[in-house]
Amino acid sequence: MNDGLIIINKPAGYTSHDIVNIVRKTLHTKKVGHAGTLDPDAMGVLVVAVNKATKALQFLTAENKEYIATLKLGASTDTMDASGTVLDEKIFHGYDNLIEVLDSFLGDSMQVPPMYSAIKINGKKLYEYAREGKEVKVDPRPIHIDEIKLLKEEDDEITFRVNCSKGTYIRSLCFDIAKKLGYPGYMKTLIRSRSGDFDLSQGCTLDELKEGHYKMIALKDAFASMDHYILEDESIALNGKRINESYDHNIAVFNKKGDILAIYGPDGAGRMKSLRGLF
């Protein structure tokens, strides 16, 4: 039985759950999940876990991601993307200081999430309020942008690459960039080109998946960038016992043969506790 990760290059028009169902049917297994949801209109890297690898999903939602987005100037929509209803329009007549505007978003800032998102307020998702036409106060959230680079300018469309923290909404970023340029705007297209350690070069299309032309990434390789700790006595991890080591972050615990056993984290008392067994 195959265990591991498959990086899917998700096409537009599919939900992340649609992709999970396709992988289930193709590989004839029910144990499939994904890390880091992509909107139906978005394309690119979707990390899919198969069988035992589903145990690790909570640790595979990357803190940093890279996207390539195209911003359309001159109109805004209720969803902040191309699928929405136009709310505002303004004739496009050019702009100035584009690089300065893009650079102004670098570093730490506060961002208001889009109303059409799955964030919950009072137990209800924002997009449910939006569909009901109800106004809800949405507090801004902290985000961090490491890089934002202009890739292409073509009339009223701007394509850029952005490296950002988890929780950054590119739809909101497009809206905010357009506003600084003096226009309403919306995100026309979005490609997630990287999610943590995984990028498009590792991905397969749905057709390649169905034809069996895909790479299964072993779970031990999926945690290659996480600090490793090798146990002489693997029964410690197999029994969920604490380790007498002190780290201020999560670590991947292996046996001497190189098999991954568990993810451990600080217990607050100078030792490491098991967060999830992966055997």
Side-chain angles (χ1 to χ4, degrees), residues 4-266:
L5 306 179
I6 301 174
I7 311 305
I8 302 290
N9 184 358
K10 188 186 91 64
Y14 291 80
T15 67
S16 299
H17 192 65
D18 289 338
I19 302 299
V20 166
N21 282 334
I22 290 169
V23 174
R24 281 175 177 156
K25 291 175 183 176
T26 303
L27 300 187
H28 307 291
T29 179
K30 292 182 179 180
K31 289 187 176 181
V32 180
H34 69 83
T37 301
L38 270 178
D39 289 340
D41 289 343
M43 300 172 282
V45 172
L46 184 69
V47 179
V48 177
V50 181
N51 293 319
K52 287 183 180 179
T54 55
K55 296 179 179 181
L57 277 173
Q58 68 190 96
F59 306 106
L60 294 170
T61 301
E63 293 299 319
N64 293 288
K65 299 173 184 180
E66 178 185 275
Y67 297 92
I68 296 171
T70 296
L71 161 62
K72 179 83 168 178
L73 297 172
S76 63
T77 70
D78 56 353
T79 58
M80 295 186 178
D81 61 22
S83 69
T85 301
V86 173
L87 298 177
D88 187 22
E89 292 183 283
K90 180 179 178 179
I91 295 173
F92 178 73
H93 52 73
Y95 49 74
D96 296 313
N97 305 320
L98 174 58
I99 300 301
E100 288 85 348
V101 168
L102 293 178
D103 286 348
S104 71
F105 290 91
L106 289 169
D108 296 320
S109 64
M110 301 296 289
Q111 183 188 71
V112 178
M115 272 300 295
Y116 279 86
S117 65
I119 291 172
K120 285 188 177 181
I121 292 184
N122 297 325
K124 196 171 180 178
K125 293 176 181 177
L126 280 180
Y127 66 74
E128 293 175 325
Y129 288 111
R131 288 171 181 168
E132 294 171 1
K134 295 180 178 178
E135 290 288 331
V136 180
K137 185 177 184 299
V138 184
D139 293 327
R141 297 181 172 209
I143 64 167
H144 182 85
I145 293 179
D146 286 312
E147 179 193 41
I148 185 165
K149 183 176 181 180
L150 176 66
L151 299 180
K152 184 179 179 182
E153 292 177 82
E154 190 170 352
D155 298 324
D156 59 357
E157 294 185 6
I158 299 164
T159 300
F160 60 93
R161 182 178 68 236
V162 59
N163 286 293
C164 57
S165 62
K166 181 174 70 173
T168 302
Y169 282 90
I170 309 302
R171 282 178 289 154
S172 291
L173 179 61
C174 285
F175 178 87
D176 292 338
I177 291 170
K179 187 176 180 181
K180 280 197 174 185
L181 291 172
Y183 292 95
Y186 64 85
M187 184 185 74
K188 183 180 179 182
T189 62
L190 181 67
I191 300 170
R192 183 157 68 195
S193 47
R194 181 179 55 78
S195 180
D197 294 333
F198 310 109
D199 61 38
L200 281 175
S201 69
Q202 300 164 283
C204 68
T205 65
L206 292 181
D207 285 341
E208 288 170 334
L209 173 76
K210 292 171 184 177
E211 293 165 1
H213 300 148
Y214 62 88
K215 178 184 178 183
M216 183 77 77
I217 300 171
L219 202 51
K220 64 179 182 179
D221 297 326
F223 290 99
S225 65
M226 183 179 279
D227 280 347
H228 290 193
Y229 185 83
I230 299 173
L231 277 175
E232 292 293 321
D233 179 5
E234 68 175 34
S235 68
I236 292 173
L238 297 180
N239 292 317
K241 295 180 180 178
R242 279 171 163 72
I243 296 173
N244 292 320
E245 293 288 345
S246 181
Y247 292 83
D248 61 1
H249 54 272
N250 293 348
I251 58 172
V253 174
F254 290 76
N255 63 17
K256 291 186 290 184
K257 294 185 293 183
D259 302 316
I260 189 166
L261 301 173
I263 303 297
Y264 271 64

